[in-house]
Amino acid sequence: MKRIVILISGRGSNMQAILEAAKAEQWPVTMAAVISNRPSAGGLSTAGESGIATAVVDHQQYADRAAFDTELMRVIDSYRPDLVVLAGFMRILTEEFVLHYQGRLLNIHPSLLPAFPGLATHKRALEVGVKTHGATVHFVTPDLDHGPIIEQASVPVLSDDTEDTLAARVLQQEHVIYPRAVKDFIEGRVRFVNGQVVRDGV
Ligand code: GRF
């Protein structure tokens, strides 16, 4: 059984999509823990209700980023994960953290990377006037939001879109591609080799 740890900061809808897919499709995994940097993250209770261990490492309790990441690594590693899934985890991670998990650390980003790395992706997409927007699942590397891409889904940008309507359309796709990418990783179809994504050994 592969062991998965999921990191969240908020409502955890991507986490929930992954938990539901794992259950429905009977993935050969143990959901080892859901960890949040925010004690108030809504996703913690969803995970708890599913019987999954939860933990909080509150970044506000640490003097700096390095101290927080060190403690976060200690807590994550206590669950012995084969895969660490960032699901709306709103923290910039130190290089030390990223390198410790590189190759088994996934993220979902709400844009078609390399367009719109960073925050406020939907707002920026509307401002620039792109006609197509979307989401990306990628391996995390020290270069923020630039790791090798596993999956993308695109959605149209409509003329009457607001940030909220666009975000909702993208989120719906996130819930499709993130569980699929996690499953592909768990079942060995997707790997990180020499900084690139290798799929099915190709
Ligand atoms: C998602 O849009 C994700 O792409 C971004 O933050 C949001 C988290 O949503 N990184 P949720 O907590 O999974 O509902």
Side-chain angles (χ1 to χ4, degrees):
M1 287 283 212
K2 291 272 168 58
R3 299 174 60 81
I4 300 180
V5 167
I6 303 179
L7 304 192
I8 61 169
S9 296
R11 72 192 153 185
S13 71
N14 277 288
M15 171 207 76
Q16 196 173 354
I18 291 166
L19 297 183
E20 282 171 7
K23 199 169 172 190
E25 298 164 10
Q26 301 186 320
W27 297 358
V29 298
T30 300
M31 292 296 171
V34 170
I35 303 171
S36 174
N37 64 308
R38 289 186 192 280
S40 60
L44 285 172
S45 39
T46 316
E49 283 156 19
S50 305
I52 297 166
T54 59
V56 173
V57 183
D58 182 351
H59 64 276
Q60 292 182 325
Q61 306 295 321
Y62 295 85
D64 54 27
R65 200 176 287 285
F68 168 72
D69 277 14
T70 300
E71 175 60 7
L72 183 60
M73 280 192 272
R74 192 191 64 73
V75 175
I76 294 172
D77 287 347
S78 72
Y79 293 101
R80 295 175 286 107
D82 299 291
L83 173 63
V84 178
V85 173
L86 306 181
F89 188 65
M90 305 305 285
R91 294 282 306 171
I92 292 175
L93 296 161
T94 56
E95 181 165 3
E96 191 192 352
F97 181 101
V98 172
L99 294 179
H100 182 65
Y101 297 106
Q102 192 161 270
R104 55 183 173 126
L105 182 60
L106 303 188
N107 183 43
I108 188 150
H109 183 78
S111 78
L112 292 173
L113 290 172
F116 311 121
L119 297 173
T121 57
H122 309 306
K123 181 166 183 277
R124 287 153 65 205
L126 289 172
E127 279 167 4
V128 171
V130 293
K131 300 298 175 208
T132 304
H133 188 42
T136 303
V137 179
H138 63 96
F139 280 107
V140 178
T141 59
D143 195 4
L144 182 71
D145 293 334
H146 280 84
I149 292 170
I150 300 171
E151 280 247 18
Q152 288 188 308
S154 57
V155 301
V157 180
L158 306 180
S159 55
D160 59 350
D161 263 335
T162 63
E163 254 185 81
D164 286 348
T165 58
L166 184 55
R169 194 173 308 119
V170 171
L171 191 65
Q172 217 172 26
Q173 292 306 309
E174 294 184 35
H175 296 164
V176 175
I177 64 172
Y178 212 3
R180 193 159 67 202
V182 170
K183 189 178 187 209
D184 282 344
F185 180 89
I186 285 298
E187 295 184 344
R189 282 185 296 282
V190 160
R191 285 180 300 132
F192 178 89
V193 181
N194 296 328
Q196 301 208 318
V197 173
V198 172
R199 189 175 274 277
D200 289 329
V202 181

mmCIF file of all heavy atoms in Angstrom, residues 14 17 30 33 37-38 40 56 61 65 71 75 82 89 92 96 113-114 121 137 139 150 154 160 182-183 187:
data_model
loop_
_atom_site.group_PDB
_atom_site.id
_atom_site.type_symbol
_atom_site.label_atom_id
_atom_site.label_comp_id
_atom_site.label_asym_id
_atom_site.label_seq_id
_atom_site.Cartn_x
_atom_site.Cartn_y
_atom_site.Cartn_z
ATOM 1 N N ASN A 14 -10.103 19.950 -3.405
ATOM 2 C CA ASN A 14 -9.254 19.028 -4.182
ATOM 3 C C ASN A 14 -8.913 17.795 -3.351
ATOM 4 O O ASN A 14 -8.918 16.673 -3.861
ATOM 5 C CB ASN A 14 -7.979 19.734 -4.650
ATOM 6 C CG ASN A 14 -8.210 20.529 -5.915
ATOM 7 O OD1 ASN A 14 -8.384 19.958 -6.997
ATOM 8 N ND2 ASN A 14 -8.258 21.846 -5.798
ATOM 9 N N ALA A 17 -11.879 15.594 -3.447
ATOM 10 C CA ALA A 17 -12.013 14.894 -4.743
ATOM 11 C C ALA A 17 -11.070 13.689 -4.783
ATOM 12 O O ALA A 17 -11.428 12.616 -5.288
ATOM 13 C CB ALA A 17 -11.711 15.863 -5.884
ATOM 14 N N THR A 30 -2.996 4.038 1.385
ATOM 15 C CA THR A 30 -3.388 4.437 2.730
ATOM 16 C C THR A 30 -3.325 5.953 2.773
ATOM 17 O O THR A 30 -2.281 6.523 2.461
ATOM 18 C CB THR A 30 -2.402 3.862 3.773
ATOM 19 O OG1 THR A 30 -2.439 2.436 3.657
ATOM 20 C CG2 THR A 30 -2.776 4.280 5.179
ATOM 21 N N ALA A 33 -2.371 10.883 6.284
ATOM 22 C CA ALA A 33 -2.711 12.083 7.065
ATOM 23 C C ALA A 33 -3.045 13.249 6.166
ATOM 24 O O ALA A 33 -2.602 13.318 5.008
ATOM 25 C CB ALA A 33 -1.549 12.478 7.972
ATOM 26 N N ASN A 37 -1.515 24.063 7.528
ATOM 27 C CA ASN A 37 -0.752 25.123 8.201
ATOM 28 C C ASN A 37 -1.697 26.103 8.897
ATOM 29 O O ASN A 37 -1.247 27.011 9.579
ATOM 30 C CB ASN A 37 0.130 25.877 7.204
ATOM 31 C CG ASN A 37 -0.679 26.614 6.161
ATOM 32 O OD1 ASN A 37 -1.555 26.019 5.516
ATOM 33 N ND2 ASN A 37 -0.425 27.902 5.984
ATOM 34 N N ARG A 38 -3.024 25.905 8.656
ATOM 35 C CA ARG A 38 -4.005 26.790 9.287
ATOM 36 C C ARG A 38 -4.953 25.955 10.141
ATOM 37 O O ARG A 38 -5.652 25.078 9.622
ATOM 38 C CB ARG A 38 -4.847 27.509 8.230
ATOM 39 C CG ARG A 38 -4.095 28.553 7.451
ATOM 40 C CD ARG A 38 -5.053 29.318 6.535
ATOM 41 N NE ARG A 38 -4.321 30.130 5.593
ATOM 42 C CZ ARG A 38 -3.793 31.312 5.896
ATOM 43 N NH1 ARG A 38 -3.943 31.813 7.104
ATOM 44 N NH2 ARG A 38 -3.123 31.983 4.974
ATOM 45 N N SER A 40 -7.749 26.644 11.185
ATOM 46 C CA SER A 40 -9.157 26.836 10.809
ATOM 47 C C SER A 40 -9.506 26.237 9.446
ATOM 48 O O SER A 40 -10.636 26.400 8.982
ATOM 49 C CB SER A 40 -9.456 28.337 10.775
ATOM 50 O OG SER A 40 -8.605 28.942 9.811
ATOM 51 N N VAL A 56 -1.981 19.780 12.507
ATOM 52 C CA VAL A 56 -1.802 21.196 12.181
ATOM 53 C C VAL A 56 -0.378 21.591 12.527
ATOM 54 O O VAL A 56 0.106 21.284 13.622
ATOM 55 C CB VAL A 56 -2.794 22.078 12.983
ATOM 56 C CG1 VAL A 56 -2.489 23.553 12.762
ATOM 57 C CG2 VAL A 56 -4.234 21.770 12.581
ATOM 58 N N GLN A 61 3.372 30.080 14.255
ATOM 59 C CA GLN A 61 4.078 29.751 15.502
ATOM 60 C C GLN A 61 5.592 29.622 15.295
ATOM 61 O O GLN A 61 6.309 29.278 16.237
ATOM 62 C CB GLN A 61 3.565 28.419 16.077
ATOM 63 C CG GLN A 61 2.063 28.357 16.277
ATOM 64 C CD GLN A 61 1.578 29.340 17.331
ATOM 65 O OE1 GLN A 61 2.236 29.533 18.344
ATOM 66 N NE2 GLN A 61 0.451 29.986 17.081
ATOM 67 N N ARG A 65 10.546 30.882 7.824
ATOM 68 C CA ARG A 65 10.119 29.847 6.872
ATOM 69 C C ARG A 65 10.881 28.534 7.086
ATOM 70 O O ARG A 65 10.318 27.446 7.025
ATOM 71 C CB ARG A 65 10.359 30.382 5.449
ATOM 72 C CG ARG A 65 9.569 29.697 4.366
ATOM 73 C CD ARG A 65 9.802 30.354 3.017
ATOM 74 N NE ARG A 65 9.157 31.646 2.878
ATOM 75 C CZ ARG A 65 7.852 31.833 2.698
ATOM 76 N NH1 ARG A 65 7.041 30.810 2.634
ATOM 77 N NH2 ARG A 65 7.347 33.038 2.564
ATOM 78 N N GLU A 71 9.830 21.738 10.826
ATOM 79 C CA GLU A 71 8.824 21.055 11.657
ATOM 80 C C GLU A 71 7.797 20.344 10.764
ATOM 81 O O GLU A 71 7.378 19.218 11.048
ATOM 82 C CB GLU A 71 8.138 22.066 12.582
ATOM 83 C CG GLU A 71 7.001 21.491 13.406
ATOM 84 C CD GLU A 71 7.420 20.348 14.345
ATOM 85 O OE1 GLU A 71 8.623 20.075 14.474
ATOM 86 O OE2 GLU A 71 6.516 19.723 14.929
ATOM 87 N N VAL A 75 6.811 16.340 10.834
ATOM 88 C CA VAL A 75 5.454 15.797 10.999
ATOM 89 C C VAL A 75 5.073 14.945 9.780
ATOM 90 O O VAL A 75 4.575 13.830 9.923
ATOM 91 C CB VAL A 75 4.432 16.943 11.221
ATOM 92 C CG1 VAL A 75 3.011 16.392 11.258
ATOM 93 C CG2 VAL A 75 4.752 17.682 12.514
ATOM 94 N N ASP A 82 4.751 7.947 0.677
ATOM 95 C CA ASP A 82 5.328 7.692 -0.646
ATOM 96 C C ASP A 82 5.034 8.860 -1.568
ATOM 97 O O ASP A 82 5.673 9.026 -2.605
ATOM 98 C CB ASP A 82 4.718 6.422 -1.250
ATOM 99 C CG ASP A 82 5.011 5.215 -0.400
ATOM 100 O OD1 ASP A 82 6.192 4.824 -0.363
ATOM 101 O OD2 ASP A 82 4.087 4.693 0.254
ATOM 102 N N PHE A 89 -2.373 24.247 -0.774
ATOM 103 C CA PHE A 89 -1.462 24.541 0.339
ATOM 104 C C PHE A 89 -0.754 25.849 0.010
ATOM 105 O O PHE A 89 0.086 25.887 -0.886
ATOM 106 C CB PHE A 89 -0.464 23.393 0.532
ATOM 107 C CG PHE A 89 0.373 23.544 1.768
ATOM 108 C CD1 PHE A 89 -0.223 23.494 3.023
ATOM 109 C CD2 PHE A 89 1.742 23.727 1.686
ATOM 110 C CE1 PHE A 89 0.547 23.632 4.182
ATOM 111 C CE2 PHE A 89 2.518 23.856 2.832
ATOM 112 C CZ PHE A 89 1.919 23.807 4.081
ATOM 113 N N ILE A 92 4.844 29.159 0.342
ATOM 114 C CA ILE A 92 6.038 28.969 -0.484
ATOM 115 C C ILE A 92 6.982 28.092 0.325
ATOM 116 O O ILE A 92 7.228 28.351 1.507
ATOM 117 C CB ILE A 92 6.683 30.325 -0.822
ATOM 118 C CG1 ILE A 92 5.746 31.096 -1.755
ATOM 119 C CG2 ILE A 92 8.053 30.126 -1.462
ATOM 120 C CD1 ILE A 92 6.203 32.497 -2.067
ATOM 121 N N GLU A 96 15.075 23.327 0.580
ATOM 122 C CA GLU A 96 15.388 22.120 1.359
ATOM 123 C C GLU A 96 14.176 21.194 1.426
ATOM 124 O O GLU A 96 14.284 19.982 1.238
ATOM 125 C CB GLU A 96 15.824 22.539 2.772
ATOM 126 C CG GLU A 96 16.407 21.394 3.557
ATOM 127 C CD GLU A 96 16.574 21.735 5.036
ATOM 128 O OE1 GLU A 96 16.372 22.898 5.420
ATOM 129 O OE2 GLU A 96 16.893 20.803 5.790
ATOM 130 N N LEU A 113 -0.106 26.555 -16.666
ATOM 131 C CA LEU A 113 1.318 26.917 -16.562
ATOM 132 C C LEU A 113 2.020 26.647 -17.893
ATOM 133 O O LEU A 113 1.621 25.723 -18.604
ATOM 134 C CB LEU A 113 1.967 26.107 -15.433
ATOM 135 C CG LEU A 113 1.516 26.486 -14.021
ATOM 136 C CD1 LEU A 113 2.074 25.506 -12.995
ATOM 137 C CD2 LEU A 113 1.942 27.915 -13.668
ATOM 138 N N PRO A 114 3.005 27.435 -18.298
ATOM 139 C CA PRO A 114 3.690 28.454 -17.490
ATOM 140 C C PRO A 114 2.991 29.802 -17.439
ATOM 141 O O PRO A 114 3.570 30.762 -16.931
ATOM 142 C CB PRO A 114 5.053 28.558 -18.184
ATOM 143 C CG PRO A 114 4.770 28.256 -19.618
ATOM 144 C CD PRO A 114 3.684 27.215 -19.594
ATOM 145 N N THR A 121 -4.623 34.041 -10.057
ATOM 146 C CA THR A 121 -4.513 33.604 -11.457
ATOM 147 C C THR A 121 -5.759 33.952 -12.278
ATOM 148 O O THR A 121 -5.650 34.334 -13.439
ATOM 149 C CB THR A 121 -4.272 32.091 -11.534
ATOM 150 O OG1 THR A 121 -5.342 31.423 -10.851
ATOM 151 C CG2 THR A 121 -2.955 31.705 -10.903
ATOM 152 N N VAL A 137 -1.500 20.135 -13.090
ATOM 153 C CA VAL A 137 -0.890 19.307 -12.039
ATOM 154 C C VAL A 137 0.564 19.100 -12.420
ATOM 155 O O VAL A 137 0.865 18.735 -13.565
ATOM 156 C CB VAL A 137 -1.583 17.934 -11.906
ATOM 157 C CG1 VAL A 137 -0.890 17.105 -10.817
ATOM 158 C CG2 VAL A 137 -3.058 18.105 -11.592
ATOM 159 N N PHE A 139 4.829 18.141 -10.904
ATOM 160 C CA PHE A 139 5.784 17.831 -9.843
ATOM 161 C C PHE A 139 6.348 19.152 -9.338
ATOM 162 O O PHE A 139 6.587 20.081 -10.134
ATOM 163 C CB PHE A 139 6.935 16.974 -10.386
ATOM 164 C CG PHE A 139 6.586 15.516 -10.530
ATOM 165 C CD1 PHE A 139 6.390 14.964 -11.791
ATOM 166 C CD2 PHE A 139 6.469 14.689 -9.420
ATOM 167 C CE1 PHE A 139 6.081 13.613 -11.938
ATOM 168 C CE2 PHE A 139 6.158 13.344 -9.555
ATOM 169 C CZ PHE A 139 5.963 12.801 -10.815
ATOM 170 N N ILE A 150 2.317 17.229 -15.364
ATOM 171 C CA ILE A 150 1.736 15.888 -15.470
ATOM 172 C C ILE A 150 0.417 15.930 -16.226
ATOM 173 O O ILE A 150 0.162 15.100 -17.099
ATOM 174 C CB ILE A 150 1.525 15.281 -14.061
ATOM 175 C CG1 ILE A 150 2.865 15.185 -13.325
ATOM 176 C CG2 ILE A 150 0.849 13.912 -14.157
ATOM 177 C CD1 ILE A 150 2.728 14.813 -11.859
ATOM 178 N N SER A 154 -8.118 22.515 -19.822
ATOM 179 C CA SER A 154 -8.424 23.894 -20.199
ATOM 180 C C SER A 154 -9.926 24.135 -20.163
ATOM 181 O O SER A 154 -10.719 23.202 -20.306
ATOM 182 C CB SER A 154 -7.858 24.209 -21.579
ATOM 183 O OG SER A 154 -8.363 23.294 -22.513
ATOM 184 N N ASP A 160 -18.743 37.153 -20.196
ATOM 185 C CA ASP A 160 -19.351 37.695 -18.974
ATOM 186 C C ASP A 160 -18.766 37.064 -17.695
ATOM 187 O O ASP A 160 -19.343 37.188 -16.622
ATOM 188 C CB ASP A 160 -20.869 37.506 -19.007
ATOM 189 C CG ASP A 160 -21.259 36.031 -19.120
ATOM 190 O OD1 ASP A 160 -20.362 35.187 -19.371
ATOM 191 O OD2 ASP A 160 -22.452 35.718 -18.956
ATOM 192 N N VAL A 182 -2.884 11.779 -9.421
ATOM 193 C CA VAL A 182 -2.434 11.079 -8.208
ATOM 194 C C VAL A 182 -2.518 9.572 -8.424
ATOM 195 O O VAL A 182 -1.598 8.819 -8.073
ATOM 196 C CB VAL A 182 -3.282 11.512 -6.983
ATOM 197 C CG1 VAL A 182 -2.998 10.629 -5.783
ATOM 198 C CG2 VAL A 182 -3.004 12.974 -6.645
ATOM 199 N N LYS A 183 -3.601 9.138 -9.043
ATOM 200 C CA LYS A 183 -3.766 7.702 -9.307
ATOM 201 C C LYS A 183 -2.664 7.209 -10.257
ATOM 202 O O LYS A 183 -2.079 6.140 -10.051
ATOM 203 C CB LYS A 183 -5.146 7.456 -9.925
ATOM 204 C CG LYS A 183 -5.487 5.995 -10.037
ATOM 205 C CD LYS A 183 -6.881 5.823 -10.603
ATOM 206 C CE LYS A 183 -7.312 4.365 -10.563
ATOM 207 N NZ LYS A 183 -8.253 4.047 -11.621
ATOM 208 N N GLU A 187 -0.035 4.337 -9.134
ATOM 209 C CA GLU A 187 -0.003 3.065 -9.856
ATOM 210 C C GLU A 187 1.220 2.949 -10.770
ATOM 211 O O GLU A 187 1.326 2.017 -11.569
ATOM 212 C CB GLU A 187 -1.328 2.864 -10.601
ATOM 213 C CG GLU A 187 -2.483 2.736 -9.586
ATOM 214 C CD GLU A 187 -3.840 2.429 -10.188
ATOM 215 O OE1 GLU A 187 -4.000 2.593 -11.412
ATOM 216 O OE2 GLU A 187 -4.741 2.040 -9.415
#
